[in-house]
């Protein structure tokens, strides 16, 4: 029986979520990557609330970007989420790649967030 790509991502995501948990001091930065867009949320799992979010779906970003499915677009989203979360006084997060491999767009988002000042 062959495992589909989606099943492999879901399996990796469940495995990652067993270990990664967000706290008020160090919330979880969760990434979801679709074919066309990338979404990121900063989540406090204990309070079960989203502290900040950013994605390529936002109208102001879509006007700036030529394409939403590129590493450049992911870098812009990474910088944006870092600005939003730093404005709330949070500097440390736990990175949740959402079952995706740390490569390409996910890696570009993470590196841009680190350069903008987030620590993970």
């Amino acid at each position: 029986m062959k495992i589909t790509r989606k099943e492999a991502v879901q399996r990796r995501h469940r495995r990652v979520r067993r270990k990664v948990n967000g706290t008020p001091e160090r919330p979880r930065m969760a990434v979801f990557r679709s074919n066309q867009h990338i979404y990121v949320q900063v989540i406090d799992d204990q309070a079960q609330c989203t502290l900040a979010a950013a994605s390529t779906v936002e109208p102001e970003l879509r006007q700036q970007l030529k394409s939403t499915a590129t590493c450049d677009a992911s870098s812009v989203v990474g910088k944006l989420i870092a600005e939003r979360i730093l404005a709330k006084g949070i500097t440390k997060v736990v990175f949740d790649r959402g079952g995706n491999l740390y490569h390409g767009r996910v890696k570009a988002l993470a590196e841009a967030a680190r350069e903008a000042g987030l620590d993970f």
Side-chain angles (χ1 to χ4, degrees):
M1 191 165 107
K2 189 168 181 169
I3 297 173
T4 65
R5 181 175 294 222
K6 186 175 182 179
E7 289 170 340
V9 167
Q10 289 172 344
R11 200 180 262 191
R12 283 192 302 266
H13 184 58
R14 283 193 299 270
R15 189 170 57 232
V16 168
R17 285 289 287 125
R18 275 188 230 133
K19 298 175 185 175
V20 175
N21 196 14
T23 63
E25 300 81 33
R26 194 168 178 149
R28 176 171 57 99
M29 188 166 92
V31 176
F32 175 76
R33 181 184 62 86
S34 71
N35 284 340
Q36 292 299 316
H37 297 285
I38 193 157
Y39 308 81
V40 62
Q41 294 180 325
V42 177
I43 304 164
D44 177 2
D45 287 318
Q46 290 179 354
Q48 296 182 346
C49 66
T50 299
L51 305 173
S55 72
T56 53
V57 177
E58 296 178 14
E60 49 289 350
L61 283 184
R62 290 188 89 174
Q63 292 172 355
Q64 293 177 5
L65 303 171
K66 185 176 178 183
S67 172
T68 57
T70 62
C71 287
D72 294 333
S74 296
S75 296
V76 172
V77 172
K79 289 175 189 169
L80 183 62
I81 193 69
E83 290 171 7
R84 289 180 181 175
I85 204 67
L86 288 171
K88 295 191 178 212
I90 297 170
T91 58
K92 292 187 176 189
V93 296
V94 178
F95 189 67
D96 176 8
R97 57 191 169 89
N100 298 299
L101 298 177
Y102 188 77
H103 177 75
R105 293 192 284 156
V106 175
K107 183 178 179 181
L109 185 141
E111 289 178 351
R114 280 190 190 108
E115 288 175 9
L118 280 182
D119 183 27
F120 59 93

